[in-house]
Amino acid sequence: MAARTPMDPDRELALRYLAARGIVLPQAALAWGESLCRSYDSAEALIAQVLPWFRQGLENDERCIWQLGRGLTVAAARRALGALAEYSADQVDIVEADVAVDWVREEARALGQGYRGLRIGGDRLHRLGSLGQRTRTLCFCE
């Protein structure tokens, strides 16, 4: 019997949190152009909401962008997304909180690359302003 490779502690923590709480974001809850806010009280709670949100985006052939908030590094976010077997760096971008993003341009880029739309998740997204018609947004609030 082959030795089992140890799982990354961040990924294991997120998966245990998901399993214990049964957190699932219903796919039908957000139509194109809609936004939703979810609160969290810890990094593990945030990751537990992020994983199903972006898993749905990957399954729906959407380009995904995670704009990080305070306290989470790009490296930690990449480790957490590693729990998604179908995760591809081409389909999921991770950007720092203070990076300005032209969301309308990103939506056009996603559609131009053949994706069905753009799925955004992150902190401080209530300041997004105008979005296109093929974008779904989940704002995470501490």
Side-chain angles (χ1 to χ4, degrees), residues 22-127:
I23 297 173
V24 176
L25 300 176
Q27 180 177 342
L30 285 181
W32 291 116
E34 291 185 333
S35 298
L36 175 69
C37 277
R38 291 280 193 142
S39 62
Y40 65 95
D41 57 5
S42 66
E44 70 178 8
L46 172 64
I47 290 169
Q49 293 183 59
V50 166
L51 292 180
W53 174 248
F54 287 128
R55 180 182 308 278
Q56 290 171 357
L58 295 171
E59 290 170 354
N60 290 332
D61 195 32
E62 298 171 20
R63 185 161 166 267
C64 302
I65 299 177
W66 184 0
Q67 188 161 32
L68 301 176
R70 294 167 285 155
L72 195 60
T73 65
V74 171
R78 286 192 200 290
R79 282 193 304 273
L81 287 175
L84 304 176
E86 62 279 9
Y87 165 65
S88 161
D90 295 335
Q91 191 173 0
V92 180
D93 287 332
I94 302 170
V95 296
E96 297 284 350
D98 56 353
V99 173
V101 179
D102 181 343
W103 297 111
V104 174
R105 184 180 66 84
E106 290 299 330
E107 180 188 279
R109 180 175 160 213
L111 295 172
Q113 292 173 331
Y115 293 110
R116 294 183 60 225
L118 179 64
R119 182 172 288 245
I120 304 168
D123 285 38
R124 302 186 208 134
L125 294 179
H126 56 279
R127 297 185 227 150

